[in-house]
Amino acid sequence: MEDSFIVDLYWRRDEQAIAETERKYGGACEGIARRFLPAAEDAEEIVQDAYLSLWNTIPPQRPEHFAAYLFRTVRNAAFSRFRADSAQKRGGGEADAALDELAECVAGRENVEFSVSATTRRPRPGEREGVDYFFVSRERFEEMLRNDELLEHAEFVGNCYGTPKSQVCARLESGVSVILDIEVQGAAQVKQKMPEAVTVFLAPPGLDALERRLRGRGTESEETIRARLDTARREMALAPSYDYTVINDDPDRASRELGAILDK
């Protein structure tokens, strides 16, 4: 079945469109969803929602863009569900909640995706190669640095993190905007290499609120809390250098502001 025929069915509002999409791409879509959602019923629900989204919004007119549009819709929706489930398991948090709302904003946009970073640290339970991170050796990471393969990089607690340039550039060239969830050191590197990049600083409502949240978790030592507060103080001083600052005192409002920035 040619994609041109399937696209035409959507544009003619022919209910056979969803059946033909399922027949040709159902397996691939479920595979994408299962990368984020191990439970088969969750993945199937996400895929069915993607088909309905196509029906309600009507896909691109150009057939050669149909599969990519469909796969992005599934991926973004599955990622949004994954982030929401993860936040619930962790008990949530101000930053987690805002980022989950941002994931929801991204899921409803055709040409916006999150980047996937490379790291030298070991995978944690449940983390998957190419989904959560690209897990590489320190030798491979240093090789990537020498070959200028990273758009930005940083070291934290003895582990290296970086954003592969090839992935970001390929998406940008295809018309997809890419969101990098990175710290201030990496953001400065990106802005230097790509001045056209739009930077957003997601700030806590204040150091007192951040300290209450950290202490409320009950999982951090006093030394760790002090170190994180010192880091936050230094990072907040850099907020004026960003294009936008969003205060995360209300996750719903913060997500609306982030969504408005995405729409510009």
Side-chain angles (χ1 to χ4, degrees):
M1 181 67 63
E2 294 294 333
D3 285 353
S4 58
F5 176 77
I6 297 177
V7 170
D8 184 60
L9 289 176
Y10 279 103
W11 279 89
R12 289 194 286 110
R13 313 304 293 161
D14 189 324
E15 294 183 0
Q16 187 185 355
I18 293 179
E20 294 299 339
T21 303
E22 169 70 24
R23 184 175 295 109
K24 184 172 183 179
Y25 291 114
C29 288
E30 286 203 25
I32 293 170
R34 289 292 292 273
R35 291 170 61 192
F36 298 90
L37 306 169
E41 59 271 21
D42 290 341
E44 182 178 353
E45 179 183 348
I46 288 294
V47 172
Q48 293 301 318
D49 286 347
Y51 297 155
L52 290 176
S53 176
L54 287 179
W55 178 260
N56 291 329
T57 61
I58 304 182
Q61 286 183 295
R62 298 180 64 178
E64 62 268 28
H65 294 165
F66 175 75
Y69 178 88
L70 171 62
F71 294 156
R72 280 198 302 272
T73 300
V74 173
R75 181 189 184 279
N76 289 337
F79 178 77
S80 177
R81 174 76 66 84
F82 167 73
R83 289 296 300 266
D85 290 348
S86 297
Q88 185 175 15
K89 291 175 183 177
R90 291 192 302 269
E94 293 177 21
D96 288 336
L99 288 173
D100 290 335
E101 292 295 335
L102 175 57
E104 191 67 30
C105 291
V106 170
R109 289 167 170 79
E110 175 185 350
N111 294 321
V112 182
E113 293 184 3
F114 284 92
S115 67
V116 179
S117 297
T119 182
T120 60
R121 74 163 172 78
R122 294 180 179 274
R124 293 169 181 161
E127 289 184 330
R128 290 150 292 176
E129 171 69 19
V131 176
D132 300 288
Y133 288 97
F134 295 108
F135 296 99
V136 300
S137 65
R138 180 171 284 270
E139 291 74 19
R140 172 55 184 148
F141 194 92
E142 291 174 351
E143 179 184 11
M144 295 171 76
L145 281 176
R146 289 194 299 271
N147 295 337
D148 195 27
E149 296 178 40
L150 296 175
L151 186 59
E152 58 81 30
H153 67 280
E155 185 166 347
F156 182 70
V157 195
N159 294 308
C160 299
Y161 299 82
T163 302
K165 185 188 299 183
S166 59
Q167 280 214 335
V168 174
C169 290
R171 285 178 169 83
L172 292 176
E173 289 173 2
S174 67
V176 175
S177 297
V178 183
I179 295 177
L180 280 65
D181 179 12
I182 55 179
E183 42 65 65
V184 295
Q185 180 182 339
Q189 294 173 38
V190 171
K191 197 66 172 177
Q192 183 177 23
K193 294 180 180 179
M194 302 180 69
E196 70 276 16
V198 176
T199 55
V200 181
F201 189 90
L202 182 61
L207 289 175
D208 289 344
L210 178 59
E211 182 173 2
R212 286 195 299 272
R213 179 165 65 84
L214 291 174
R215 294 189 183 283
R217 289 177 176 174
T219 59
E220 312 279 2
S221 67
E222 183 63 27
E223 181 181 1
T224 299
I225 290 174
R226 290 290 99 194
R228 294 195 63 174
L229 289 173
D230 287 343
T231 298
R233 187 176 292 105
R234 291 194 299 271
E235 291 182 343
M236 290 173 68
L238 296 174
S241 66
Y242 281 65
D243 297 311
Y244 299 93
T245 297
V246 174
I247 306 299
N248 188 24
D249 53 353
D250 179 341
D252 289 336
R253 183 190 55 76
S255 70
R256 288 194 299 272
E257 292 188 15
L258 291 166
I261 294 170
L262 285 174
D263 289 335
K264 289 185 177 180

